[in-house]
Amino acid sequence: MGTRGDGPADDAGNALAVRLNYLFANMHPPGAPYTNAHVAEEIGRCKEEYGGVTVTEQYLSMLRNGKRTNPSPDVLRALAKFFAVPVCYLMGGLSDSQAARVEDEVRFLAAMRDQRVRSIALRSVGLPPEVQDSLSAIICQFRQQMNLPTDAPGEGGEERP
């Protein structure tokens, strides 16, 4: 790794930039994604909650574009807390399968922001498993007709708890 993120981005820095950009694009309330300014302001406004860290919008921009690649663990902890992901996800301390699982959860939460998706999911609660399976098969048929992957992105055939 570079010295405190000066110089060209390395693989870990690129991974951090990719993961941060993924979180900015997907982990937000309904409406527009978070901006660097909003995240910096929120972390600064709630210093106790985020470990007393201060981060600027410019620094977040540099992290997101790979110009800074080695933020302090405190900054990573604050960002992980803000986006509600394990700090190891940002630090690169997860295996590929563990990181993929975090991203699956992020995709799930992003999908649940859509009122129509929530409505379909909530309406299936309490139905017998065989009926839920039938509904799933119908959705797969619609996805196939629309030339979409049969499984939703990140679904991979695993059941959610």
Side-chain angles (χ1 to χ4, degrees), residues 1-2 5 7-20 63 65-66 68-71 89-93 96:
M1 251 187 228
D10 57 13
D11 287 344
N14 285 331
L16 174 62
V18 167
R19 288 178 177 166
L20 275 176
L63 288 174
N65 68 25
R68 292 285 190 244
T69 60
N70 194 13
Y89 174 73
L90 293 177
M91 291 178 135
D96 288 344

Side-chain angles (χ1 to χ4, degrees), residues 94-145:
L94 298 178
S95 69
D96 288 344
S97 64
Q98 290 170 320
R101 186 164 178 91
V102 169
E103 290 167 1
D104 286 347
E105 293 298 320
V106 168
R107 274 190 290 278
F108 173 76
L109 292 172
M112 293 310 287
R113 283 195 309 262
D114 184 319
Q115 179 58 41
R116 290 182 185 114
V117 171
R118 266 197 324 272
S119 177
I120 290 167
L122 291 171
R123 287 179 181 172
S124 71
V125 172
L127 294 174
E130 58 275 5
V131 173
Q132 290 177 347
D133 291 342
S134 294
L135 290 171
S136 182
I138 291 167
I139 291 170
C140 284
Q141 288 173 353
F142 276 116
R143 292 183 66 81
Q144 200 170 30
Q145 288 173 0

Side-chain angles (χ1 to χ4, degrees), residues 24 28-35:
F24 269 85
H28 56 83
Y34 290 126
T35 63

